Structure formats: C-alpha cells, structure tokens
Amino acid sequence: MTNGVDESDGDDLTGCEAEREPDPSDSLRTFGAVVHALREHAGYSRAEFADLVRYSKHTVASVELGRRMPDRALVERAEEVLGNTGALRKAAQFLTRGDKGLAVWFRRWARLERIAVSLCTYECRLVPGLLQSDGYARAVFDGTIPVVTDEGLENLLDVRMKRQRILYERPTVPFSFIVEEHVFLRRFGGSERMREMYDHVLERAALRNVTLQIVPLEAGLHACLDGPVQLLETPEGRRFAYSEGQQNGRLIGDVKEVSLLQQRYDTLRSQALNPKESQGLLERLRGEL
C-alpha cells in the first residue's frame, strides 16, 4: 500500500521509485487490467478517471499497469465511479506484492512447487536450490550481477533457506534430484565450506522422501543436455515443467512437451548412479578435501 498519503491533496508523489512495487505480482497486474478494462468500458480517458477518483493520472497509470498497490480510498472511489459492481472491492482482497527474493519468472513455479504431489529436478549448472547449504547459496548470490546490497543478499538467502523447508514440511511428497558430478566438483570458498556443502546435501538426500542421483563424468552424453529442467505433478494430476536460462524462465504446460521432457528425465535416471552409489561418491569427494 501507499505511505498513507491521500493524493487528493494535490501532492503528486508517484515519481518516487519507492512507491512502486519492486517486483509486481500477478495479482497486481490482473487487478490493474480489470481497472483498465472497466474504465474504458465506462468511456473515461485515464485523465478523466483520475480526476473523478481524485488521484493523479500517473498513479492511475501505475495501478493499471500493475506497478503499484492501490490503497483503500482508490479502490472505493474507483468502485463508485465504475458502477459499484463490487468487483474491485472483492478483487482487492486478493492483492499481494511480489515474492521478495524470488525471480519474477520463477514465482509461478514456486507456487506450484508448494502444492505439488511430486517434484523432479535435473541440474547441470549448480547444486539445486532445495539442496544448497547456507555457505553455497551465499556464494551464489554474492557472485550475482548486478551486485546486490548486503540487505538484498540476506533477503535472498533467507528466502532460499525458507524454501528448503518444503522437504521437511511435506514428508510424503517424493522429491527426485539428478545432478551432474561436475556440479559438486566446482570449488567455492575453502575446504571447510566445501565440506559443509557436502554434509548439507548428504543430510537432505538421507530424507525418506528425497532421492539424489549423480550423473558421473564417465557417463558421457545424454538426452538432457539441452539444459536444466524441473517437472512436477499437481493434486489434480496435471503435469508442468520449468526450464530456466539467463534472466528468464519458462513454465511449460503443453502436454506433449511436458511428456517429452519427462521421458528425457526418466531415461537419464536410468543412466545416473543409483542413490547409494551417489551417496558414496559424495562421501568420497568430501574425504578428498
């Protein structure tokens, strides 16, 4: 919400970046689109509507574009001007800000992750987020470009660690991880940090609902070389996939495409070391430090 300033007093503070949502949520964008559609249906220009609700044109634009959380006064005035249908009042109850600490393109997947009845992850770049130790995650975020502030880094780290609770909070949900061996060979920090990482991964992999398989270096080329992928199934039986690259991520719902990715994952699962062998490899790598 705004900083408690009723903009009908004539002070236009909308140019201040602090009043904009840093990462607009889907609910803000949807609410803004509804306001936009109702305004146009009523025949008002943005300037005319702004005068009627006694807010600046810039504020109205920010709300319609999903960049700003509307305050209660704006919602009420918009309702009165646009016919008192109750639609905006009801929609406003479900408004949320973006999930801080999660990339915009990852948020929809993160929400599905929380309700999934199964989750599969193939990773070839770094230790999967759900298995990262505090020190490993800190090193990942510390190397982010653009550089984040100390406060921003702590926020990212907090979100990452809280997200990992899902492994314990949902003990009946199977989590499958297939990770390339070279991921665990990449050094960061000193030997102590590396040992902490191995211990953390081994502890998570020991959970009854977690399966970790490592693709050894000698396994050669395989069907998942196009990049990392995650797959899940919802309580309704729908299957989704998620792939991520530089500054973007793609949620995949197409049945045929998800099926193809699942086939690739299942094939790789048969080529990777089994869980016991994978555990032995991690313990050996730890012992060699």
Side-chain angles (χ1 to χ4, degrees), residues 7-289:
E7 292 174 275
S8 59
D9 64 3
D11 292 331
D12 184 6
L13 303 178
T14 57
C16 298
E17 195 65 24
E19 290 203 353
R20 295 179 58 179
E21 298 301 311
D23 293 307
S25 65
D26 290 340
S27 65
L28 281 176
R29 292 189 180 96
T30 301
F31 181 85
V34 171
V35 173
H36 188 176
L38 290 175
R39 172 178 64 76
E40 290 193 333
H41 181 73
Y44 298 122
S45 68
R46 187 170 284 165
E48 291 171 335
F49 180 68
D51 287 339
L52 290 170
V53 296
R54 303 196 301 281
Y55 277 76
S56 74
K57 177 182 175 181
H58 299 293
T59 295
V60 170
S62 292
V63 170
E64 289 187 349
L65 293 172
R67 295 174 178 167
R68 179 178 179 145
M69 179 76 78
D71 62 18
R72 184 177 302 176
L74 177 53
V75 174
E76 290 298 324
R77 293 172 193 173
E79 273 284 9
E80 294 171 4
V81 171
L82 299 175
N84 264 320
T85 64
L88 296 181
R89 290 192 188 95
K90 290 182 179 179
Q93 298 175 22
F94 300 97
L95 287 175
T96 60
R97 288 181 160 86
D99 299 322
K100 293 182 177 180
L102 291 177
V104 175
W105 54 84
F106 185 75
R107 290 173 186 165
R108 290 180 64 194
W109 178 261
R111 289 195 289 271
L112 287 171
E113 196 176 64
R114 290 195 288 267
I115 65 170
V117 295
S118 68
L119 182 70
C120 299
T121 300
Y122 164 66
E123 186 55 76
C124 56
R125 307 166 302 174
L126 71 170
V127 175
L130 291 176
L131 300 180
Q132 292 178 5
S133 65
D134 181 285
Y136 187 96
R138 186 178 295 275
V140 170
F141 293 135
D142 194 42
T144 299
I145 295 176
V147 177
V148 297
T149 63
D150 290 344
E151 181 181 358
L153 189 149
E154 293 303 324
N155 180 59
L156 290 168
L157 188 62
D158 181 60
V159 171
R160 175 62 51 85
M161 294 300 108
K162 285 181 178 177
R163 181 169 158 252
Q164 292 187 5
R165 294 177 187 171
I166 193 174
L167 299 177
Y168 295 91
E169 294 172 349
R170 310 197 66 204
T172 62
V173 174
F175 293 85
S176 170
F177 298 92
I178 301 178
V179 186
E180 298 281 356
E181 180 183 352
H182 68 254
V183 166
F184 295 107
L185 296 175
R186 188 183 297 278
R187 299 297 297 258
F188 75 99
S191 296
E192 182 177 351
R193 286 298 181 97
M194 290 290 293
R195 279 191 288 269
E196 287 175 356
M197 180 268 288
Y198 287 129
D199 289 340
H200 188 88
V201 173
L202 286 166
E203 179 182 330
R204 293 330 186 247
L207 296 173
R208 293 177 61 193
N209 61 324
V210 175
T211 301
L212 171 64
Q213 293 180 257
I214 297 176
V215 183
L217 294 175
E218 60 267 23
L221 305 180
H222 55 74
C224 284
L225 292 177
D226 283 349
V229 65
Q230 297 186 63
L231 301 127
L232 62 72
E233 182 179 356
T234 70
E236 297 77 29
R238 293 193 64 189
R239 293 180 180 273
F240 293 91
Y242 175 78
S243 65
E244 188 171 89
Q246 294 280 348
Q247 289 298 102
N248 67 80
R250 186 164 72 100
L251 180 63
I252 305 166
D254 180 77
V255 175
K256 291 184 178 179
E257 189 171 357
V258 173
S259 177
L260 175 62
L261 293 171
Q262 186 69 60
Q263 290 176 49
R264 292 178 180 177
Y265 188 88
D266 291 340
T267 299
L268 183 59
R269 178 182 280 161
S270 68
Q271 298 171 325
L273 299 177
N274 65 41
K276 185 174 182 180
E277 293 169 335
S278 299
Q279 176 185 341
L281 175 57
L282 287 183
E283 290 175 345
R284 177 174 63 79
L285 292 175
R286 186 190 187 284
E288 291 175 353
L289 290 174

